[in-house]
């Protein structure tokens, strides 16, 4: 198992190199001069030249990339062109808020969506199911940006229950998390409903019922457990979505997170900051997928057995033919 | 059931862990033990700004929001009043023995927040450090020498420049010893002679200022000011309505709501902001004055106000509308599509040979430019609107890689030469973004710059504005009257036309 995990972690490295190379090239060849943005429109050519020299921007792009990667390997994410601060310290300030927002949204989404999805499957084709279908359509159509403002008006201005902005205390987290989860609740619960309905029609479920197994056990032990595999895949991808998709929530609620940092860095063509943000997001997505893969093993003993033997192996052509 | 309880516990633990991650993540400026109430108290206010800069060195930051924060920490060398009148700052008096020399007397009783007294050497340092700051190096480049003797700083300019004193209103007095001691860390731990000290600073998120107990002018009334960044205008206003903030600027759509809220004071302040349309005079088709004039005739400034918003005002001068130099010449062009069509026809543009060009901007969904595009289309002119990232926009502008562009800028010092530079060939790519060359304008600019006679300066500025409407390298479009709302209990707030807001004299209750 450990061998498999290590193997998967090592596989993340070429992914990161690929992602970083593509993003670095895109940033380097996109129009706009970092020096002009950092120094302002009154900057003299010699000042721009000095800025480029100081930040290694006078080197060919390939050398710039190699230098950046050399720094990255030693844990140096570089210095921001605009803020003159270490990128690592900028991220240290912002990463906690984004992690709370991303993982909090993930937990809250599935904490609500799973029981709701099962309930919808049980109540299939009832008025509750129909009503929820309409509600889900409306909920997933509301832009997070607008919903955020509505939530603020209701909970902060009208009811005076919750702070309207910031992310200092758990009370501050409630509205951004609600806003972040609202649309995904609708989609995820419908997805879980469909998966449970799919398994509920399987022979083994019919057999369990025929044997007189109580309905709750049929639902949770037989139907839901078998519906978990595609759900885990969906959760794995959601980690990346929540992590990368926090920009709007951060903008509306004035949260100083990674999304806002990345957006500002992109506007200012601050390459070290953008690169660090992209690499961290890529790591999160890769880890999310790794966790999902490992959870397959927890849920399905057949997959666990494959992991225990060091992970899935390629079947040789000869062996396959013999089989 | 056991599994459900385990799941609930696991969730609770995860949330607690996340909570632990979230706490106290900011980079705190070194707190001063002599400062009381560093965590804020009942006599504290929260001010919403669109951004909280990532660098608290005001010369580097070059942004109104950062200056609003740092103006409480520093005293500037001189000050600008609400009407842009020049007022004493750290330099309490000045004289000009000859056209190149200024004798600046540094006032008594200014003390840095670390207890060191401010002296003339600090003022010299504050000017000399500008050499290494691109955003301010232009001012330093004008100085031939700076020296101090006793409490008098002598500045010798390379050439006569009557705007020099005004430019000092942007220069904070800094401690030479402190800056040399902390080096680059200065950007995160500013220290000046003002009434407030920085007690907490999270770049991009918030800056907390605490009233300095030993401020020679007496401790400020408000104990703690928290400047907080909320970029989205409606969210900023909601923070104000919900009581999470005490002061915010307000966007035009929220004006009526703010006006009818009995817990808020709403005010509008005429701003030094000037929006404009500029044309590249060095390349076709706008190297032709008639074509440029036609473009000005086709711009329906008054008509576009209905789509622009309640806080915009039609203007006809590149000199800020709050400046005494703002002037409407008789030849100022007003909307006349027929005249525009006629001028284009004279230059050979018609249905068979339509004028085609691109307008560059950095603001997405610019409704005014869309309306302008429709107006131009009605006289057979085909226009493409291109929205660029600000960096790309600046790059293209500096390298003359544009045909027509739209933008806007503010003014913090009221120096008439800044606006006059829009038509001065010595300011290509900086203020003169239409790369316009006119020997008469250059001569008038030099006259205005060198003269100490206010009437002569005024006359030169008026003449420049007349030529500007004759040749139309760029044309002004809108000024702005900015809206602000704040807690009714808050008094003594001073809002400058530049957009800088001061809470130095503010009181609660």
């Amino acid at each position: 198992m450990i061998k498999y995990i290590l193997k998967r972690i090592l596989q993340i490295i070429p992914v990161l190199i690929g992602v970083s190379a593509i993003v670095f090239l895109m940033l380097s060849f996109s129009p706009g001069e970092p020096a002009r943005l950092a120094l302002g429109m009154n900057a003299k050519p010699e000042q721009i030249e000095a800025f480029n020299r100081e930040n290694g921007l006078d080197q060919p792009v390939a050398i710039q990339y190699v230098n950046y990667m050399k720094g990255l390997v030693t844990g140096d994410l570089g210095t921001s062109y605009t803020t003159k601060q270490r990128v690592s310290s900028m991220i240290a300030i912002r990463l906690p808020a984004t992690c709370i927002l991303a993982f909090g949204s993930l937990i809250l989404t599935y904490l609500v969506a799973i029981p709701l999805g099962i309930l919808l499957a049980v109540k299939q084709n009832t008025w509750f199911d129909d009503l929820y279908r309409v509600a889900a359509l409306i909920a997933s159509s509301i832009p997070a940006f607008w919903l955020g403002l509505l939530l603020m008006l209701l909970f902060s201005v009208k009811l005076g229950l919750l702070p309207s902005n910031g992310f200092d205390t758990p009370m501050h987290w409630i509205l951004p998390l609600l806003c972040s989860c609202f649309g995904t609740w609708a989609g995820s619960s419908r997805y879980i409903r469909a998966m449970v309905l799919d398994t509920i029609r399987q022979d083994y479920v019919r057999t369990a019922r025929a044997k007189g197994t109580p309905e709750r056990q049929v639902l949770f032990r037989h139907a839901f457990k078998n519906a978990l595999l595609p759900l885990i895949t969906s959760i794995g991808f959601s980690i990346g979505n929540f992590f990368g998709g926090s920009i709007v929530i951060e903008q509306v609620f004035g949260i100083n997170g990674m999304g806002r940092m990345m957006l500002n860095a992109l506007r200012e063509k601050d390459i070290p900051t953008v690169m660090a943000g992209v690499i961290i997001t890529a790591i999160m997505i890769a880890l999310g997928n790794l966790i999902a893969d490992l959870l397959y093993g927890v849920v399905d003993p057949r997959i666990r057995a494959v992991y225990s033997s060091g992970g899935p192996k390629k079947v040789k052509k000869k062996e396959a033919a013999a089989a | 059931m056991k599994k459900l309880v385990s799941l609930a516990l696991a969730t609770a633990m995860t949330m607690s862990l996340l909570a632990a991650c979230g706490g106290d993540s900011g980079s705190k400026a070194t707190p001063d033990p002599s400062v009381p109430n560093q965590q804020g108290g009942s006599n504290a206010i929260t001010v919403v700004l669109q951004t909280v800069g990532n660098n608290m060195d005001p010369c580097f930051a070059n942004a109104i929001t950062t200056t609003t924060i740092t103006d409480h920490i520093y005293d500037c060398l001189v000050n600008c009043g609400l009407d842009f009148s020049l007022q004493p700052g750290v330099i309490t008096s000045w004289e000009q023995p000859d056209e190149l020399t200024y004798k600046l007397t540094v006032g008594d009783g200014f003390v840095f927040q670390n207890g060191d007294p401010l002296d003339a050497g600090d003022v010299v340092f504050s000017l000399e450090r500008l050499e290494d700051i691109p955003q301010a190096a232009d001012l330093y480049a004008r100085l031939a020498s700076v020296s101090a003797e006793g409490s008098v700083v002598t500045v010798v300019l390379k050439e006569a420049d009557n705007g020099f004193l005004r430019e000092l209103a942007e220069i904070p007095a800094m401690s030479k010893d402190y800056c040399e001691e902390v080096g680059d860390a200065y950007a995160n731990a500013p220290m000046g002679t003002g009434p407030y000290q920085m007690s907490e600073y999270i770049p991009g998120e918030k800056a907390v200022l605490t009233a300095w107990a030993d401020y020679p002018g007496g401790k400020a009334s408000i104990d703690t000011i928290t400047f907080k960044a909320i970029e989205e205008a409606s969210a900023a206003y909601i923070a104000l309505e919900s009581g999470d903030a005490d002061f915010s600027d307000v966007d035009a759509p929220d004006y009526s709501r703010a006006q009818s809220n009995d817990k808020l004071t709403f005010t509008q302040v005429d701003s030094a902001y000037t929006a404009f349309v500029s044309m590249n005079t060095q390349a076709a088709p706008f190297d032709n004055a008639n074509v440029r004039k036609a473009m000005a005739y086709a711009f329906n400034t008054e008509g576009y106000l209905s789509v622009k918003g309640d806080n915009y005002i039609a203007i006809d001068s590149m000199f800020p509308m709050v400046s005494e130099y703002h002037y409407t010449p008789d030849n100022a062009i007003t909307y006349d599509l027929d005249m525009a069509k006629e001028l284009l026809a004279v230059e050979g543009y018609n249905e068979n040979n339509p004028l085609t060009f691109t307008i560059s901007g950095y603001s997405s969904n610019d409704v005014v430019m869309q309306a302008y595009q429709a107006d131009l289309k009605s006289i057979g002119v085909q226009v493409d609107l291109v929205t660029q990232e600000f960096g790309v926009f600046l790059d293209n502008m500096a390298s003359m890689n544009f045909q027509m562009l739209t933008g806007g800028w503010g003014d913090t010092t009221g120096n008439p030469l800044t606006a006059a530079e829009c038509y001065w060939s010595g300011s290509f790519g900086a203020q003169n973004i239409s790369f316009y060359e006119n020997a008469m304008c250059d001569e008038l600019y030099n006259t205005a710059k060198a003269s100490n006679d206010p009437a002569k300066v005024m006359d030169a500025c008026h003449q420049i504005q007349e030529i500007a409407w004759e040749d139309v390298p760029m044309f002004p479009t809108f000024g702005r009257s900015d809206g602000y709302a704040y807690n009714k209990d808050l008094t003594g707030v001073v809002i400058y036309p530049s957009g800088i807001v001061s809470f130095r004299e503010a009181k609660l209750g």
Side-chain angles (χ1 to χ4, degrees):
Chain A
M1 185 73 164
I2 291 169
K3 200 175 152 193
Y4 175 71
I5 295 172
L6 285 174
K7 201 169 138 188
R8 285 297 306 272
I9 289 173
L10 285 175
Q11 280 173 359
I12 295 175
I13 294 170
V15 173
L16 290 183
I17 293 173
V19 168
S20 61
I22 291 168
V23 174
F24 197 91
L25 284 176
M26 284 167 72
L27 283 171
S28 300
F29 290 117
S30 62
E33 208 180 343
R36 180 72 60 192
L37 281 160
L39 305 179
M41 60 190 221
N42 292 334
K44 303 264 182 300
E46 55 271 22
Q47 289 168 333
I48 288 177
E49 208 174 286
F51 177 93
N52 288 340
R53 203 168 39 247
E54 191 186 320
N55 292 288
L57 294 168
D58 55 343
Q59 304 279 328
V61 176
I63 293 174
Q64 285 179 43
Y65 177 68
V66 170
N67 288 340
Y68 180 79
M69 291 309 281
K70 269 188 202 164
L72 189 67
V73 169
T74 56
D76 178 11
L77 294 172
T79 303
S80 161
Y81 296 160
T82 48
T83 68
K84 305 282 173 207
Q85 292 168 348
R86 307 295 302 163
V87 174
S88 49
S89 61
M90 288 166 66
I91 286 173
I93 292 171
R94 291 160 177 88
L95 192 60
T98 301
C99 282
I100 292 169
L101 196 57
F103 293 110
S105 301
L106 184 80
I107 292 167
L108 203 58
T109 295
Y110 288 100
L111 217 54
V112 173
I114 290 173
L116 194 59
I118 295 171
L119 186 67
L120 287 166
V122 173
K123 304 273 182 193
Q124 187 198 7
N125 296 332
T126 62
W127 66 267
F128 177 69
D129 190 27
D130 292 340
L131 188 70
Y132 188 79
R133 190 180 300 125
V134 176
L137 184 70
I138 295 169
S140 48
S141 312
I142 296 176
F145 169 79
W146 186 56
L147 177 70
L149 295 178
L150 291 183
L151 288 173
M152 282 183 208
L153 283 171
L154 176 65
F155 290 101
S156 306
V157 178
K158 291 275 176 213
L159 302 175
L161 291 174
L162 295 167
S164 64
N165 63 80
F167 215 62
D168 301 336
T169 66
M171 289 295 274
H172 288 88
W173 304 355
I174 297 174
L175 289 186
L177 285 176
L178 268 179
C179 187
S180 173
C181 293
F182 200 73
T184 51
W185 275 332
S188 303
S189 55
R190 296 287 300 166
Y191 182 61
I192 292 162
R193 172 190 176 274
M195 285 186 302
V196 173
L197 280 176
D198 198 36
T199 50
I200 233 164
R201 293 180 189 123
Q202 300 292 320
D203 288 346
Y204 58 84
V205 173
R206 196 176 303 121
T207 310
R209 277 197 181 121
K211 279 163 63 185
T213 312
E215 188 59 25
R216 182 181 283 190
Q217 265 191 40
V218 171
L219 203 61
F220 285 97
R221 186 169 292 177
H222 298 282
F224 179 61
K225 206 170 173 183
N226 282 290
L228 271 177
L229 278 182
L231 178 64
I232 287 169
T233 312
S234 150
I235 292 174
F237 278 111
S238 299
I239 294 176
N241 287 343
F242 279 121
F243 206 83
S246 57
I247 296 176
V248 175
I249 307 288
E250 288 175 12
Q251 287 283 101
V252 175
F253 290 96
I255 301 167
N256 191 27
M258 294 277 294
R260 261 173 82 181
M261 182 191 78
M262 289 267 285
L263 188 65
N264 289 333
L266 272 169
R267 283 175 185 161
E268 290 156 351
K269 218 177 167 201
D270 187 353
I271 294 174
T273 311
V274 177
M275 286 296 292
V278 167
I279 286 169
I280 287 173
T281 307
I283 290 173
M284 288 294 171
I285 293 172
L287 286 179
N289 286 328
L290 175 63
I291 291 166
D293 279 359
L294 296 178
L295 283 175
Y296 291 149
V298 174
V299 174
D300 191 334
R302 292 167 300 180
I303 299 174
R304 194 159 55 237
V306 176
Y307 289 168
S308 303
S309 62
K313 290 185 174 63
K314 281 177 187 168
V315 181
K316 287 180 183 167
K317 275 183 182 172
K318 272 184 188 171
E319 288 169 11
Chain B
M1 191 61 186
K2 254 167 89 179
K3 281 185 181 171
L4 275 177
V5 172
S6 310
L7 181 68
L9 280 173
T11 310
M13 277 175 66
T14 315
M15 294 304 274
S16 315
L17 273 173
L18 291 175
C21 290
D24 198 22
S25 57
S27 71
K28 291 192 174 181
T30 317
D32 186 333
S34 67
V35 180
N37 189 25
Q38 291 206 14
Q39 298 307 312
S42 57
N43 201 13
I45 59 167
T46 299
V47 175
V48 173
L49 299 174
Q50 207 181 13
T51 54
V52 167
N54 287 311
N55 186 327
M56 280 294 138
D57 184 332
C59 295
F60 258 112
N62 195 25
I64 293 297
T65 47
T66 303
T67 311
T68 290
I69 300 170
T70 55
D71 255 18
H72 296 83
I73 301 169
Y74 301 102
D75 288 308
C76 285
L77 299 189
V78 298
N79 291 318
C80 265
L82 288 168
D83 57 352
F84 281 129
S85 59
L86 208 53
Q87 293 172 0
V90 163
I91 292 162
T92 48
S93 63
W94 49 84
E95 56 183 273
Q96 196 176 358
D98 59 65
E99 62 171 9
L100 295 180
T101 311
Y102 286 85
K103 298 255 180 210
L104 313 171
T105 306
V106 178
D108 291 330
F110 288 96
V111 178
F112 286 107
Q113 288 154 3
N114 63 358
D116 293 347
L118 175 141
D119 59 28
D122 293 309
V123 172
V124 171
F125 170 76
S126 302
L127 287 168
E128 284 180 340
R129 73 187 285 271
L130 302 179
E131 185 181 10
D132 299 325
I133 302 175
Q135 289 86 340
D138 190 38
L139 176 61
Y140 182 80
R142 298 185 217 168
L143 313 184
S145 69
V146 191
S147 58
E149 196 181 324
S151 62
V152 176
V153 174
T154 303
V155 176
V156 181
L157 304 180
K158 288 175 183 164
E159 56 183 56
D161 180 353
N162 77 46
F164 166 70
L165 272 178
R166 286 190 174 277
E167 298 295 313
L168 298 184
E170 284 191 322
I171 310 303
M174 297 197 162
S175 161
K176 182 174 188 265
D177 294 342
Y178 180 74
C179 285
E180 285 173 354
E181 183 191 325
V182 298
D184 284 346
Y186 187 80
N188 293 322
M191 198 270 302
T193 57
Y196 282 90
Q197 291 173 284
M198 177 84 83
S199 55
E200 186 184 355
Y201 171 47
I202 304 178
E205 184 181 339
K206 68 176 172 182
V208 182
L209 306 188
T210 313
W212 177 28
D214 299 328
Y215 182 57
K219 184 175 170 278
S221 174
I222 305 281
D223 290 332
T224 309
I225 309 174
T226 302
F227 293 96
K228 200 176 196 175
I230 302 182
E231 203 171 335
E232 212 293 304
S234 298
Y237 178 68
I238 288 172
L240 197 61
E241 268 205 348
S242 65
D244 290 333
D246 298 283
F247 183 97
S248 173
D249 57 353
V250 181
D251 244 16
D254 291 318
Y255 278 8
S256 58
R257 210 177 149 100
Q259 280 162 331
S260 60
N261 189 323
D262 56 8
K263 288 180 185 160
L264 298 176
T265 302
F266 176 79
T267 184
Q268 264 187 280
V269 176
D270 284 348
S271 141
Y273 174 83
T274 304
F276 54 79
V277 167
S278 172
M279 289 160 276
N280 182 353
T281 59
Q282 299 287 331
F286 299 119
D287 54 351
N288 181 320
N290 271 346
V291 178
R292 297 198 297 266
K293 267 177 133 167
M295 295 303 105
Y297 274 116
F299 196 90
N300 187 0
T301 316
E302 293 285 349
Y304 301 153
L305 280 175
S306 59
V307 291
K308 188 74 178 162
D310 293 344
N311 52 336
Y312 284 87
I313 299 157
I315 55 168
D316 37 33
S317 166
M318 283 305 295
F319 289 69
M321 63 178 190
V322 289
S323 155
E324 59 182 315
Y325 298 93
H326 185 92
Y327 161 69
T328 304
D330 292 339
N331 62 339
I333 290 175
T334 51
Y335 179 61
D336 186 341
L337 268 184
D338 292 335
M339 182 62 93
K341 199 172 177 178
E342 206 174 291
L343 282 169
L344 289 175
V346 169
E347 298 306 325
Y349 293 106
N350 50 43
E351 283 154 14
N352 301 322
N353 178 32
L355 173 65
T356 308
F357 65 92
T358 302
I359 306 179
S360 314
Y362 51 86
S363 161
S364 59
N365 193 27
D366 189 337
V367 284
V368 167
M369 282 300 131
Q370 286 165 20
Y372 185 42
Q373 183 186 33
D375 263 338
L376 288 170
K377 195 178 176 186
S378 73
I379 54 168
V381 178
Q382 292 169 12
V383 176
D384 272 340
L385 298 181
V386 178
T387 303
Q388 296 163 332
E389 274 300 320
F390 192 57
V392 180
F393 177 84
L394 285 185
D395 255 5
N396 287 338
M397 189 180 78
S399 56
M400 287 198 265
N401 184 20
F402 70 96
Q403 291 182 298
M404 178 185 279
L405 59 80
T406 170
W409 51 44
D411 187 355
T412 49
T413 63
N415 181 359
L417 296 175
T418 310
E421 280 172 16
C422 293
Y423 311 102
W424 176 51
S425 60
S427 188
F428 276 0
Q431 289 296 114
N432 184 351
I433 54 174
S434 46
F435 299 88
Y436 173 65
E437 284 178 290
N438 182 312
M440 185 58 132
C441 272
D442 286 353
E443 198 183 314
L444 287 165
Y445 172 82
N446 290 331
T447 305
K449 190 176 179 183
S451 175
N452 276 329
D453 177 356
K456 254 187 174 174
V457 176
M458 185 67 83
D459 183 53
C461 289
H462 284 188
Q463 285 190 58
I464 288 173
Q465 291 174 80
E466 282 159 14
I467 296 170
W469 275 119
E470 203 49 50
D471 259 7
V472 202
M474 62 197 304
F475 57 89
T477 54
F478 304 105
R480 216 168 52 195
S481 180
D482 293 330
Y484 300 86
Y486 49 98
N487 182 344
K488 207 138 213 162
D489 294 335
L490 188 62
T491 53
V493 181
V494 180
I495 304 167
Y496 291 90
S498 58
I500 295 169
V501 185
S502 174
F503 300 93
R504 282 178 172 228
E505 306 296 329
K507 287 184 171 66
L508 263 181

